[in-house]
Structure formats: C-alpha cells, structure tokens
Amino acid sequence: MNHFIRQLDDQTQRLLWVVSALALSLLPHVTHVPIWIVLFAAATAAWRIAAQMRGWRLPPKWLRIVVVVLAVVSVLAGYRTLNGLEAGTALLVLMAASKLLETKDRRDLTVLIFISFVLLFAALLYEQGLLQLPYMLVAVWLLTTMLMRVHQTTSRMAMGEAMRMTAKMLLLSLPLGVAFFVLFPRLPGQFWALPARAGATSGISDEISPGDVSELSLSSGIAFRVTFTGSAPPPAERYWRGIVLHDFDGRTWRRARGRFSTTPSVEASGPEYDYRITLEPNNRNWLFSLDLPTRWPVTRAFQSYDFQLLSPETISSPTSYRVRSHTQYTMTSDLPTMQQNMDTALPGERNPRTRELARALKTEHPDTLEFVQAVLQKFRNEEYFYTLEPPRLEADSVDDFLFNTRRGFCEHFASAFTALMRAGGVPARIVAGYQGGQYNPMGDYFIVRQSDAHAWSEVWVEGRGWVRVDPTAAVAPERIEQGLDAAVPEDEPVPGRFFGGNGMVLNLQLAWDALNSGWQNNVVEYNDTLQRSLFSNLGIDDIDWRSLGLLLTASLAVFFVALSGWLALRFKPRPKDPAAQAYAHLCRKLGSGNLVRRPHEGPVDYLTRVGTARPELRADLDELRALYVSLRYGPLPMSAQLSRFRFLVNRLKL
Amino acid sequence: MALFSRLLEPLRQRMRGWMRKRQGDDPDPVVLGSRRIYILPTALGLGFAGMLFLMMIGAMNYANNLALGLAFLLGSLGIVAMHHCHRTLAGLKFALATTHPVFAGQRARFAIALINESRQPRPELELTDDSLTSEPVRLDAAVGEPTRAVVEIGHPAERRGKVRLDRFEVGTRHPFGLFRAWAVLHMDLECIVYPRPSERGLSPPPHETDVGGAQDGPRGDEEFAGLRPFHAGDSPRRIAWKAYARGRGLQTKQFAGTTVISHVFDWDSLEGLGVEARLSQLCRWILDAHAAERAYGLKLPGVNVPPNVGDAHRQHCLTALALFSG
C-alpha cells in the first residue's frame, strides 16, 4: 500500500489525504444525517478519486450548480429549515461532497479542509464524551498536516515528517488553548434560542404499572452521579426522590397533572446533606434529590406541593445541580382537603378483596401507624417474594398480586401497600425514584444506575405529616441495605452480576466511570460558577470578566514571549568553534577602533592592515595572526594556543 | 484587480520610500533581523479567523465546552503558525552571488545566495523583485550551505550597460498559508548587460597583430616547449598539474608549433556606423572568435585589451563593450 501511494503523483496523493481527513471528520455524523447523504458523499469521493487516477474530466460548471441547488432543496425538504444543528450538518456534508466534484487546485483543497474543521466542530456539538477528545485531537492533527501539505510548493516533505512537524506545533499551541479554555469568561444562558433536539426519554417514566420498574432495573445505564460535600447518609436513608404518583386506575399509577395545592410546612431535623447531582440526559423534566430536599437552586428548579423538584426545561444534556437535604423531617401543617381526597381515592369496583382486607385490618388497628405495621407484618410473615421476574398480573392487579402470585418487585409491593392504605382511609401515595447507589472510591462519589430504580409509599400520619414507608424493606431488607444484587435470587439477571465477583473488572469499570465523571463535571460542565469557584480556590474571590480579560491578555503575552524565545533557541545558528569565536571577539574589539574588517578581508590581510595602521599593536597582532592560522589550519590545534590567543585578545588596548 | 493595484501604487511607492529610509542600504552579506520582517494574515488567514470566530459564538451559544476548546486550540495553533512564519525569515543571511551578465534583449538575472546558519530548515521561501509582473522564485533554504536563487526582473534589459536591482523581497507563507511574512532588502545588486550582438555577416578586417609559433620548429604543434605562469583563461588541460603538486604554483605548459593568430577587433575599423551598431558588431566578432577558440584583442577609444583567449577574457571584453561610454 505504501509503495502504491509513493508511486502516485503529488496531486493524487494530496487528494487522497484530504479525502481521508474529510472522512475522519464525517464519520461522527454518519448517525446524524440521512443515509442518502452519507452515500452521496461516499460516491462523490470515490468518483473524484477515480477521475484523478484515470484522468477523467471534472463535471462542467452548470452540473455542479445543479448539484448544489438540489442539495439545498433536498435538505429544505427533509428538515423544513436550513437553521439548526441537524439541517446545518446535513447541508455541510452535502457541500463538502459537491465541493469534491470540482476540487482541483490548492484553494479547493483548502476549502475542503476548512469544511472538515467545521464538521468536526459540529460533531462536538452532538456529543462531548471523554472519547471525543482523543478523536478530535487526532482529526485536528491530520487536518492540520493536510493544510500544511496543501500549501507546500517547493519542499518535498515525507508524510511522517510533516506529521511530526504539525504535532510539535499542536503541542506548542496546547498551553495557550488550555489557558483560554480556563480563563475565557463563560456566560450564563444562550444568545439566541435554538430548536430543541428531540431525544428518547429514559429512566423512570411518569406512570408506573406492575413490571415497569423491574424492567427498568435490567438496565445498567447510569441515571445520575452524586458527590457529597461532607458525609453521605447511611445506605438505608439513600432514597432518591423523583416523582410522586397519585392517580390509580386499579393497575397503573399516574402523576396528578395540573393540580396545585399548598405545600405542607416542613420541620427538618438531624444532619443536613450537601451534595451535587450530575444527571444524565433523560429528556424528562424532573430532577432527583435525596429525600427530602430542603434547599435547591431556585433558578434551575421549583418544588411542587408534593416535594417533586421540577426543571423548567427538559434535561437533554448532562445537567448538574447542588441540593441540600434532610433525611429526618416532620410536617407541622394539616393535610388540605383536596390532597386528602386525592390520596384516598380508589377506583370504584376494582380490587374488591383488597378493600375487604384493608377494612378488616383497619378495624383491628384503628391507629394509622399500627395499621401500617400490620400490613408490613403481613408482607413480612406471609409468603411474599421479592423478584426481578414477577409474573404477569390480571386486570385487578392488587388482588392478583396479594392473593395469587405473591411474587413481585418494588412497584408491586408499593402499589399493594398504597392501595391497602387508601382502602383503609389513610392518605397514601407512591414515590418513584432510586434507592441506594454504588460508591466509587476513585472519585469519591456515588453512581446511581437505572438498576437502582425504586418505588415506595408515603402515608399521611396525623401530627407527623407524610411518612415514608418502604414495603419492599419488609420483604427484602437486603435490597435497601446492600442493593439489588443481594436481594433477588441468584439466577436472576441483575445487571453487572456477571462481573460482580471479578474485582479487577469492577475496579476498571469504576476507574473509567470516575474518569468520565471528572471529565463531565470539570470540563463539559465548566461554567461561570465553576470558573468562579476555581479562582476562589486560588485565593481570588469573585472574579469578574474584567480580571479574566486581564489574565487572558497576560497569558497571551507570556505565551508570545515564551514561544518566540523557544523558536529563537531552535533557530539559533550553530555554535562556531572556539577559535572562530575568539577571532570574532577580536574583530569586534578592533572594529570599535574604526578599523572595521572589510567583508572580503581574511584574517591574515586584516590583521596585517591593522598592524600597519597601529604600529604600537603590531607585535601582538603578528602573534595573534600566527596563532590564529595555526589554530584554524594547523594540524593539531592546542588548547595552550587557544588560551594564549584569548589572553592576547583580552589584553589588547585600543 | 488591475485597477485596484494601480490605485494602490502611490501608497506602495510611499511604503517603499519609508522602508528604504527606515532600513537604509544593506551590506553584503546581510542578516535579516526580526525587526524588519513584516507579517500580515493572508486572505486565507482572515477566513480562518472568521471561521474560528463563528465557531466560538456557536460553541458559547450551545454552552459546549469541547467545541469551544476546539476553537481555542485552532486559534492558538494560528498564533504558533504566525511565529513559525516569522521565524522562517528571521536570521536568514543574504549574500550577493556572482551574477551572470546577459545580452540586451534578454532578462536581467540577479543571483543571490541564501545562507541558513540555523539548525532548522527554512522552507517555502519566495524571492521576487517586487514588480507585479514577475513570477516569484520559490525555493527552500537548506541548513548550513548557501542556496542560490536567481531573481529575474520582469521586463527585459533593453539597453547595454548596468541594470541595478534596487530592492527585492523575500517572503514566505510557511507553514499553513495563513500568514505571509516578508522583508525588503536593498542590496547593491547589478547585472551587466552586454550589447545585443549584431547579425552574422560582416567579417572582421584581417588585422593580424601577433603571429607566433610557426617558426618554432618543423615538427608541428604539440611539442613541449616549457612552462609559463598560469593566466586566467588558460585551458585546464594545459596546466602542469605535476608541477603544481610539487608546490611550484600553477603553471601552464607551452607547446612549440602552436599557431597563434590573433585578431584585434578595432572600433576604428567600423567607421560609418553608429555607436551602438559598432558595439554590436564588435560583440558579434568577439562571440564568434571565442566560439572558434581563436585569440582576439579589443581596441576601443581609451580601452585596449591585448589578445588572449578564454572565458575571463571574453567577459572582460564584453564588459568593456557594455560599459563603453564614448
């Protein structure tokens, strides 16, 4: 292959390299643009290379114009706009492909390289993963090399040499690039609104039917990461509150949309937990927080009457926010009647056996807390099983679960428990979120995965307010204390179980996740807040854009000085030999006495001339002349001669 | 475009005057100091900057740090490229090289030696005489040894005499074509322009002045007759290399029987012709005699070149014609 490439002429080689650089920046877009655009680009590239090799004529101008017009029209037809990331990318790819058709001189190749840079940029707008960084650097390296080679006319540099040269230049430019990245003032918010990108929703959905959470638990995908400032709560208190479900139709629990009510006043006690959550994009608008959030960023979220944290926008990119929570709390106000009615409602004729059981238990235990204990006792003492693979349930799902299958996941227990409470006249609701999380010692944070998805209940107890009751804990206390893996039978497909016993794989996974999390938190999420806290860590409080601008200018100046110094060093003339240096010194000395050496004068002629002009120096000059001739042209120059020469030069008085 | 550059011409003139005053005349050799190297972004460089600006705005709007990082990386790469571009010229040494004379009607050519004393190559240099019509000479300055470049001035040297190259420019767009650095040098460069040789036809008058060798012996030529000191123009084949090896200096072998018939081409023999016509005719004779390897001399008013042979002699005679002012 190498041999083959070497045989090609210069122009063909350049074309091949530029096409491959273009391909490298196009590759990340293969999934973003319609397949016909990818095929069109591949076809034009293949045709252009064939045309180059076979010497075909390039298409006439009118044909190229037709192709460009068709491209614009088809993008317009497909996207209804030329604005926005998707349409822009598609148009750019088409432009690059049509540019290939007419590529013949340096200018065309340069335009292609510039388009490739922009494509690379667009790829980063789609995704900013950690793996994007090395890919980007390699692509920039190749593109830069191409840019240099395209502009070479006389120097015949091998590809490897050119790559080395651009690598050096990129390494040199890295410090300033990093300085700009850190120092450049970040603005909160956008300049102009862009059409939001629709993405697939993931994670906990806004309604729960039996089997939903267990299905979600099969995914090892990451829901969010949590970094605690200070201590973390004990495992049994790691309930990550998400949404609250009120409406029950006998099978499915739903959120109460469009209803507003007063928020009960909360009296928190015990330790306050301060933490930052980085949420993976799920294209929903609820935020998770440790039950119960007491302080949250008011610009980013608001709290509903049932203590859900809601974001005004859907979470379509990784988002991080800081929250403070208390795990121990009571409520001092009364339950509004509207909420009371909502949370005791049950669909009329569904689940009759459940109602009957509830009525019996409630008569036996009129106190709310005792009633709760009685139901939990039932789950604990009777034959109920916690499993990831629950059997399908009939239409009256609670009856079927409580009296027939008796095997279920958290949502089965929460659903049955909440229905029992409501049937007994106790206000109850379901909270969906996550429970637990894996500690990553390498980054000192917790990873909460989809497999930690959980559902539990809240009941209203007079005098205490909403009390969290987790019926799953009654059946499978290991789930709460140790996680899913410890709680479900050995043969069930818990995500990550296969590697569970392997320490090295687990450690590698954790290390990789820590790296990703660090990347996400410090680079991708780097914003005005992080910038300010970075500088306050360095002792500069409340840095504003003026001081940042000053620092930027300073770093630019330092970079200029350092770079030109370094280049001057590299371009320094080769050192002369010591005798020539001493002679140059002598010439400088004599030159200051108006006896400048003429360009054509050799040492012998020059020193003779000076000797004639300055007879008082003649003896020394004669000796210097003899020494110099012997030093430069003699068979074996001796260091004694050199030091004598230097001595005489130094002694010379003009 | 042509109109545009014509409108700019007065400005260019002023720039030239300013540079000349600022820099003064350059010695031979001259080393380019970094203070006299000018650098500006090219159209491509401006395009690159525009692209980076748009990238930056876009990245900030999407609050996309990685994309912003790409824009910053490319920006600082541009700055590094600017320094490299400047450095490619800084410290480059220029010396006058032997310039070969031309005949009137040909283009004057000025030979310049570029010496790169650094340890880094200096690629993609362009030498031009700064007239808009001429193509620049492109070359790389290799490390250490002089690299010779010949600058041709755009218009032909029509008249005999001396053509001076008042100024020339050295520039580079290395490495990415985003910037162009250039420097203007004012070295005392001149090229001798010989008279245009007239058409063949008129043969020189049989004015033999020195006929020697015929009486030196009956055995014809190629008999060794002794050594004489070497003169410029002697054939290398006749140099006594053995004597040279013994340290007796350069000597030329003389052979008996070498028939030497030399002409002296005389200005006065061409009465009736104009000055330039006479010079052209003399030029033609000299060229013919040189081609035929005959010895010849030249007589002009105030100039008398005794007969001789060889390239140096030819050059001497033609230069006398070129610079004749009578």
Side-chain angles (χ1 to χ4, degrees), chain A residues 31-48:
Chain A
T31 52
H32 306 148
V33 296
I35 187 74
W36 68 268
I37 291 183
V38 178
L39 292 178
F40 177 67
T44 47
W47 183 86
R48 183 65 188 83

PDB file of all heavy atoms in Angstrom, chain A residues 31-48:
ATOM      1  N   THR A  31     -24.419   8.836  11.900  1.00  0.00           N
ATOM      2  CA  THR A  31     -25.708   8.529  12.528  1.00  0.00           C
ATOM      3  C   THR A  31     -26.630   9.744  12.588  1.00  0.00           C
ATOM      4  O   THR A  31     -27.810   9.604  12.858  1.00  0.00           O
ATOM      5  CB  THR A  31     -25.493   8.009  13.953  1.00  0.00           C
ATOM      6  OG1 THR A  31     -24.661   8.933  14.642  1.00  0.00           O
ATOM      7  CG2 THR A  31     -24.829   6.653  13.928  1.00  0.00           C
ATOM      8  N   HIS A  32     -26.096  10.941  12.336  1.00  0.00           N
ATOM      9  CA  HIS A  32     -26.923  12.144  12.469  1.00  0.00           C
ATOM     10  C   HIS A  32     -27.624  12.540  11.186  1.00  0.00           C
ATOM     11  O   HIS A  32     -28.637  13.209  11.213  1.00  0.00           O
ATOM     12  CB  HIS A  32     -26.091  13.357  12.914  1.00  0.00           C
ATOM     13  CG  HIS A  32     -25.304  13.114  14.146  1.00  0.00           C
ATOM     14  ND1 HIS A  32     -24.098  13.708  14.387  1.00  0.00           N
ATOM     15  CD2 HIS A  32     -25.542  12.325  15.205  1.00  0.00           C
ATOM     16  CE1 HIS A  32     -23.640  13.300  15.531  1.00  0.00           C
ATOM     17  NE2 HIS A  32     -24.483  12.455  16.046  1.00  0.00           N
ATOM     18  N   VAL A  33     -27.002  12.210  10.047  1.00  0.00           N
ATOM     19  CA  VAL A  33     -27.572  12.676   8.787  1.00  0.00           C
ATOM     20  C   VAL A  33     -28.232  11.495   8.079  1.00  0.00           C
ATOM     21  O   VAL A  33     -27.868  10.342   8.317  1.00  0.00           O
ATOM     22  CB  VAL A  33     -26.490  13.315   7.889  1.00  0.00           C
ATOM     23  CG1 VAL A  33     -25.928  14.548   8.547  1.00  0.00           C
ATOM     24  CG2 VAL A  33     -25.399  12.331   7.554  1.00  0.00           C
ATOM     25  N   PRO A  34     -29.184  11.782   7.208  1.00  0.00           N
ATOM     26  CA  PRO A  34     -29.849  10.691   6.486  1.00  0.00           C
ATOM     27  C   PRO A  34     -28.840   9.865   5.703  1.00  0.00           C
ATOM     28  O   PRO A  34     -27.819  10.384   5.232  1.00  0.00           O
ATOM     29  CB  PRO A  34     -30.804  11.422   5.541  1.00  0.00           C
ATOM     30  CG  PRO A  34     -30.984  12.774   6.130  1.00  0.00           C
ATOM     31  CD  PRO A  34     -29.735  13.086   6.867  1.00  0.00           C
ATOM     32  N   ILE A  35     -29.172   8.610   5.523  1.00  0.00           N
ATOM     33  CA  ILE A  35     -28.227   7.685   4.915  1.00  0.00           C
ATOM     34  C   ILE A  35     -27.902   8.075   3.474  1.00  0.00           C
ATOM     35  O   ILE A  35     -26.778   7.894   3.009  1.00  0.00           O
ATOM     36  CB  ILE A  35     -28.772   6.235   5.000  1.00  0.00           C
ATOM     37  CG1 ILE A  35     -27.724   5.233   4.519  1.00  0.00           C
ATOM     38  CG2 ILE A  35     -30.080   6.081   4.234  1.00  0.00           C
ATOM     39  CD1 ILE A  35     -26.612   5.036   5.502  1.00  0.00           C
ATOM     40  N   TRP A  36     -28.899   8.691   2.772  1.00  0.00           N
ATOM     41  CA  TRP A  36     -28.609   9.028   1.371  1.00  0.00           C
ATOM     42  C   TRP A  36     -27.519  10.079   1.266  1.00  0.00           C
ATOM     43  O   TRP A  36     -26.755  10.111   0.303  1.00  0.00           O
ATOM     44  CB  TRP A  36     -29.884   9.453   0.640  1.00  0.00           C
ATOM     45  CG  TRP A  36     -30.496  10.759   1.090  1.00  0.00           C
ATOM     46  CD1 TRP A  36     -31.450  10.912   2.035  1.00  0.00           C
ATOM     47  CD2 TRP A  36     -30.183  12.070   0.619  1.00  0.00           C
ATOM     48  NE1 TRP A  36     -31.763  12.233   2.200  1.00  0.00           N
ATOM     49  CE2 TRP A  36     -31.011  12.981   1.332  1.00  0.00           C
ATOM     50  CE3 TRP A  36     -29.302  12.573  -0.340  1.00  0.00           C
ATOM     51  CZ2 TRP A  36     -30.967  14.337   1.128  1.00  0.00           C
ATOM     52  CZ3 TRP A  36     -29.269  13.945  -0.542  1.00  0.00           C
ATOM     53  CH2 TRP A  36     -30.091  14.807   0.178  1.00  0.00           C
ATOM     54  N   ILE A  37     -27.406  10.939   2.268  1.00  0.00           N
ATOM     55  CA  ILE A  37     -26.358  11.960   2.231  1.00  0.00           C
ATOM     56  C   ILE A  37     -24.997  11.308   2.392  1.00  0.00           C
ATOM     57  O   ILE A  37     -24.026  11.628   1.695  1.00  0.00           O
ATOM     58  CB  ILE A  37     -26.607  13.019   3.331  1.00  0.00           C
ATOM     59  CG1 ILE A  37     -27.849  13.832   2.985  1.00  0.00           C
ATOM     60  CG2 ILE A  37     -25.409  13.922   3.501  1.00  0.00           C
ATOM     61  CD1 ILE A  37     -28.150  14.943   3.945  1.00  0.00           C
ATOM     62  N   VAL A  38     -24.921  10.341   3.312  1.00  0.00           N
ATOM     63  CA  VAL A  38     -23.668   9.612   3.520  1.00  0.00           C
ATOM     64  C   VAL A  38     -23.260   8.904   2.237  1.00  0.00           C
ATOM     65  O   VAL A  38     -22.095   8.959   1.805  1.00  0.00           O
ATOM     66  CB  VAL A  38     -23.828   8.602   4.672  1.00  0.00           C
ATOM     67  CG1 VAL A  38     -22.553   7.819   4.855  1.00  0.00           C
ATOM     68  CG2 VAL A  38     -24.223   9.310   5.950  1.00  0.00           C
ATOM     69  N   LEU A  39     -24.252   8.251   1.607  1.00  0.00           N
ATOM     70  CA  LEU A  39     -23.952   7.509   0.376  1.00  0.00           C
ATOM     71  C   LEU A  39     -23.509   8.470  -0.733  1.00  0.00           C
ATOM     72  O   LEU A  39     -22.582   8.168  -1.484  1.00  0.00           O
ATOM     73  CB  LEU A  39     -25.184   6.721  -0.071  1.00  0.00           C
ATOM     74  CG  LEU A  39     -25.543   5.568   0.866  1.00  0.00           C
ATOM     75  CD1 LEU A  39     -26.810   4.872   0.385  1.00  0.00           C
ATOM     76  CD2 LEU A  39     -24.395   4.578   0.970  1.00  0.00           C
ATOM     77  N   PHE A  40     -24.166   9.638  -0.807  1.00  0.00           N
ATOM     78  CA  PHE A  40     -23.804  10.621  -1.818  1.00  0.00           C
ATOM     79  C   PHE A  40     -22.352  11.074  -1.620  1.00  0.00           C
ATOM     80  O   PHE A  40     -21.573  11.145  -2.573  1.00  0.00           O
ATOM     81  CB  PHE A  40     -24.760  11.816  -1.733  1.00  0.00           C
ATOM     82  CG  PHE A  40     -24.430  12.934  -2.678  1.00  0.00           C
ATOM     83  CD1 PHE A  40     -24.559  12.769  -4.041  1.00  0.00           C
ATOM     84  CD2 PHE A  40     -23.970  14.155  -2.182  1.00  0.00           C
ATOM     85  CE1 PHE A  40     -24.254  13.798  -4.908  1.00  0.00           C
ATOM     86  CE2 PHE A  40     -23.653  15.184  -3.059  1.00  0.00           C
ATOM     87  CZ  PHE A  40     -23.797  15.008  -4.418  1.00  0.00           C
ATOM     88  N   ALA A  41     -22.008  11.356  -0.351  1.00  0.00           N
ATOM     89  CA  ALA A  41     -20.636  11.799  -0.064  1.00  0.00           C
ATOM     90  C   ALA A  41     -19.641  10.708  -0.430  1.00  0.00           C
ATOM     91  O   ALA A  41     -18.606  10.984  -1.053  1.00  0.00           O
ATOM     92  CB  ALA A  41     -20.517  12.170   1.414  1.00  0.00           C
ATOM     93  N   ALA A  42     -19.948   9.469  -0.076  1.00  0.00           N
ATOM     94  CA  ALA A  42     -19.039   8.365  -0.392  1.00  0.00           C
ATOM     95  C   ALA A  42     -18.897   8.216  -1.901  1.00  0.00           C
ATOM     96  O   ALA A  42     -17.791   8.010  -2.428  1.00  0.00           O
ATOM     97  CB  ALA A  42     -19.561   7.077   0.224  1.00  0.00           C
ATOM     98  N   ALA A  43     -20.019   8.369  -2.617  1.00  0.00           N
ATOM     99  CA  ALA A  43     -19.983   8.193  -4.070  1.00  0.00           C
ATOM    100  C   ALA A  43     -19.151   9.291  -4.733  1.00  0.00           C
ATOM    101  O   ALA A  43     -18.319   9.008  -5.602  1.00  0.00           O
ATOM    102  CB  ALA A  43     -21.404   8.205  -4.630  1.00  0.00           C
ATOM    103  N   THR A  44     -19.348  10.555  -4.305  1.00  0.00           N
ATOM    104  CA  THR A  44     -18.562  11.625  -4.939  1.00  0.00           C
ATOM    105  C   THR A  44     -17.078  11.448  -4.639  1.00  0.00           C
ATOM    106  O   THR A  44     -16.245  11.680  -5.499  1.00  0.00           O
ATOM    107  CB  THR A  44     -18.997  13.028  -4.456  1.00  0.00           C
ATOM    108  OG1 THR A  44     -19.102  12.996  -3.045  1.00  0.00           O
ATOM    109  CG2 THR A  44     -20.294  13.433  -5.074  1.00  0.00           C
ATOM    110  N   ALA A  45     -16.772  11.021  -3.424  1.00  0.00           N
ATOM    111  CA  ALA A  45     -15.357  10.814  -3.077  1.00  0.00           C
ATOM    112  C   ALA A  45     -14.767   9.732  -3.970  1.00  0.00           C
ATOM    113  O   ALA A  45     -13.683   9.906  -4.543  1.00  0.00           O
ATOM    114  CB  ALA A  45     -15.223  10.441  -1.612  1.00  0.00           C
ATOM    115  N   ALA A  46     -15.496   8.630  -4.113  1.00  0.00           N
ATOM    116  CA  ALA A  46     -14.996   7.526  -4.946  1.00  0.00           C
ATOM    117  C   ALA A  46     -14.844   7.993  -6.383  1.00  0.00           C
ATOM    118  O   ALA A  46     -13.830   7.725  -7.044  1.00  0.00           O
ATOM    119  CB  ALA A  46     -15.955   6.349  -4.860  1.00  0.00           C
ATOM    120  N   TRP A  47     -15.855   8.724  -6.883  1.00  0.00           N
ATOM    121  CA  TRP A  47     -15.789   9.176  -8.273  1.00  0.00           C
ATOM    122  C   TRP A  47     -14.607  10.118  -8.481  1.00  0.00           C
ATOM    123  O   TRP A  47     -13.874  10.024  -9.453  1.00  0.00           O
ATOM    124  CB  TRP A  47     -17.092   9.884  -8.650  1.00  0.00           C
ATOM    125  CG  TRP A  47     -17.079  10.300 -10.088  1.00  0.00           C
ATOM    126  CD1 TRP A  47     -17.432   9.547 -11.161  1.00  0.00           C
ATOM    127  CD2 TRP A  47     -16.614  11.545 -10.596  1.00  0.00           C
ATOM    128  NE1 TRP A  47     -17.231  10.234 -12.313  1.00  0.00           N
ATOM    129  CE2 TRP A  47     -16.727  11.469 -12.005  1.00  0.00           C
ATOM    130  CE3 TRP A  47     -16.119  12.713 -10.017  1.00  0.00           C
ATOM    131  CZ2 TRP A  47     -16.372  12.526 -12.836  1.00  0.00           C
ATOM    132  CZ3 TRP A  47     -15.759  13.762 -10.854  1.00  0.00           C
ATOM    133  CH2 TRP A  47     -15.885  13.661 -12.237  1.00  0.00           C
ATOM    134  N   ARG A  48     -14.398  11.042  -7.496  1.00  0.00           N
ATOM    135  CA  ARG A  48     -13.336  12.032  -7.645  1.00  0.00           C
ATOM    136  C   ARG A  48     -11.968  11.365  -7.670  1.00  0.00           C
ATOM    137  O   ARG A  48     -11.093  11.733  -8.451  1.00  0.00           O
ATOM    138  CB  ARG A  48     -13.416  13.043  -6.501  1.00  0.00           C
ATOM    139  CG  ARG A  48     -12.404  14.170  -6.593  1.00  0.00           C
ATOM    140  CD  ARG A  48     -12.698  15.018  -7.829  1.00  0.00           C
ATOM    141  NE  ARG A  48     -11.646  16.011  -8.062  1.00  0.00           N
ATOM    142  CZ  ARG A  48     -10.507  15.750  -8.700  1.00  0.00           C
ATOM    143  NH1 ARG A  48     -10.285  14.536  -9.177  1.00  0.00           N
ATOM    144  NH2 ARG A  48      -9.601  16.691  -8.878  1.00  0.00           N
TER     145      ARG A  48
END
